[in-house]
Amino acid sequence: MSTKKPETSAVGIPAIVSSAKLALAEMGTVRSIETLSKVNHTDGFDCPSCAWPDPDPKHRKLAEFCENGGRAVAWEATRKRVDRSFFAAHSIAELREQSDHWLEANGRLAEPMYLKQGATHYEPITWDDALDLVAARLKHTEPNRAAFYTSGRASNEAAFAYQLLARRLGTNNLPDCSNMCHESSGAALGQTLGIGKGLVTIDDISGHAELIVVVGQNPGTNHPRMLTALEEAKRRGGKIVAINPLPEAGLIRFKNPQAVRGLAGKGTKIADRFLQIRVNGDLALFAGVNRVLVEKDALDHGFIDQYCDGFDQAREAWHKLDWDDI
């Protein structure tokens, strides 16, 4: 096992090289250019890698995706195919011995496959026979004994239609929201609250926020496109505080691959202050923050009076906190 010093910056040229190598290996030159140029564009498709919101169409860049997105698209649009000969050569027992990475690296399914009762290998089945089989089973199954699983990389449109099918059948046995889309909850929120998602927009972060607190996140790994919005906020004069047990490279310095300063320069320092709390120390930290807010009376009393219960008890508990304990 080898170790090295922690990274002190994220993205930059290494991210471009890494994305390009995988894209070319999986999709080839022409397919890579055609596919990646449509990621997160109005005439293209949403990236399957994350749910970071898209900027206004007139503000989108040619490469409107991150390294993670490029990799995810390359896996989805790969030219590799898994056909009936693959399943004839590999039994179920053999496939169970392989890693998830090995299984996915063989490519995309080329046709429906069916495992008969007692069989050792998957066999090809026509689409009509596959749909007839599914329909027959659903007709004779108690709805709550059926489970509807799908890929988290399915499009929002496909996932929306899929959950409608399950609920029309009479069950809610669907994957959680990290796997399925939020269309159903979004529709309900729109009817009850007037908006189907969070109120914060990209422009709120990059264009208006004076203080941004990033807690327990690693945008450099999980959603690098957020780093662009944070960079814009910094260049506008906004302040950023990072709270995490470990220093995150993307929040130390961001080398924007679509800017000269990111490719040839030092990039942009993101976090103005890094609070390196202990694991589970966030509860103590925010309790202390609440005590300071109460002491400075930095509160929206109208909101608290109208919408909050138990605030007096909470305020008393924060007053009793000892700073040495925190």
Side-chain angles (χ1 to χ4, degrees):
M1 180 178 179
S2 62
T3 61
K4 64 178 183 178
K5 292 183 178 180
E7 297 287 348
T8 57
S9 64
V11 196
I13 294 178
I16 297 176
V17 173
S18 176
S19 299
K21 287 176 63 176
L22 182 63
L24 293 175
E26 294 295 327
M27 299 185 290
T29 303
V30 176
R31 189 176 178 87
S32 294
I33 295 173
E34 292 178 344
T35 305
L36 294 176
S37 64
K38 291 185 175 297
V39 181
N40 293 321
H41 283 278
T42 54
D43 61 343
F45 58 92
D46 285 339
C47 177
S49 177
C50 77
W52 182 249
D54 295 318
D56 187 271
K58 62 183 179 181
H59 293 145
R60 299 190 194 189
K61 303 175 179 64
L62 177 62
E64 192 60 56
F65 60 90
C66 67
E67 180 182 358
N68 293 341
R71 288 175 170 271
V73 170
W75 280 103
E76 291 290 299
T78 180
R79 295 171 297 178
K80 300 174 183 176
R81 294 292 181 266
V82 174
D83 57 18
R84 60 185 66 189
S85 62
F86 173 86
F87 290 101
H90 298 88
S91 67
I92 299 298
E94 291 175 20
L95 294 175
R96 284 176 174 162
E97 295 288 325
Q98 305 300 325
S99 68
D100 291 345
H101 183 271
W102 183 90
L103 293 170
E104 186 169 13
N106 279 280
R108 302 294 300 272
L109 281 171
E111 57 187 333
M113 302 299 296
Y114 177 55
L115 182 64
K116 295 180 180 178
Q117 188 170 2
T120 60
H121 290 69
Y122 277 105
E123 298 177 7
I125 184 174
T126 67
W127 276 107
D128 287 342
D129 289 342
L131 294 173
D132 288 344
L133 179 63
V134 171
R137 291 292 177 88
L138 289 178
K139 285 181 179 179
H140 296 89
T141 299
E142 167 66 25
N144 284 328
R145 289 181 63 85
F148 290 78
Y149 184 80
T150 184
S151 169
R153 293 179 179 177
S155 67
N156 279 346
E157 294 78 10
F160 185 50
Y162 193 61
Q163 62 86 24
L164 283 178
L165 169 66
R167 292 186 168 100
R168 181 63 182 86
L169 183 69
T171 184
N172 197 36
N173 287 346
L174 294 154
D176 59 42
C177 62
S178 64
N179 184 259
M180 287 288 283
C181 73
H182 282 286
E183 291 295 338
S184 54
S185 59
L189 287 169
Q191 294 173 3
T192 56
L193 301 180
I195 187 168
K197 56 183 179 181
L199 296 174
V200 178
T201 66
I202 293 179
D203 189 53
D204 291 331
I205 296 175
S206 61
H208 299 285
E210 297 178 8
L211 172 66
I212 301 170
V213 183
V214 184
V215 186
Q217 286 179 284
N218 181 8
T221 297
N222 297 328
H223 34 78
R225 292 172 70 206
M226 180 181 182
L227 293 176
T228 302
L230 294 178
E231 181 184 45
E232 292 174 358
K234 279 300 297 289
R235 298 181 70 81
R236 182 181 44 78
K239 300 295 183 181
I240 297 175
V241 175
I243 303 173
N244 209 307
L246 292 175
E248 305 291 3
L251 294 175
I252 297 175
R253 190 166 294 277
F254 171 44
K255 293 186 176 181
N256 191 336
Q258 302 196 67
V260 175
R261 61 181 176 275
L263 294 175
K266 295 182 179 180
T268 303
K269 179 184 176 183
I270 297 297
D272 295 279
R273 178 166 295 180
F274 169 49
L275 300 182
Q276 190 169 18
I277 59 173
R278 297 174 180 177
V279 174
N280 290 331
D282 52 341
L283 295 177
L285 171 68
F286 288 118
V289 169
N290 287 337
R291 174 176 169 171
V292 172
L293 293 175
V294 168
E295 290 176 347
K296 293 183 177 294
D297 196 30
L299 305 171
D300 185 342
H301 291 283
F303 181 91
I304 292 172
D305 293 341
Q306 185 171 357
Y307 295 107
C308 297
D309 293 320
F311 182 78
D312 290 338
Q313 294 92 323
R315 176 167 48 195
E316 182 179 353
W318 293 326
H319 270 306
K320 292 180 180 179
L321 290 175
D322 183 85
W323 281 115
D324 289 335
D325 291 337
I326 294 176

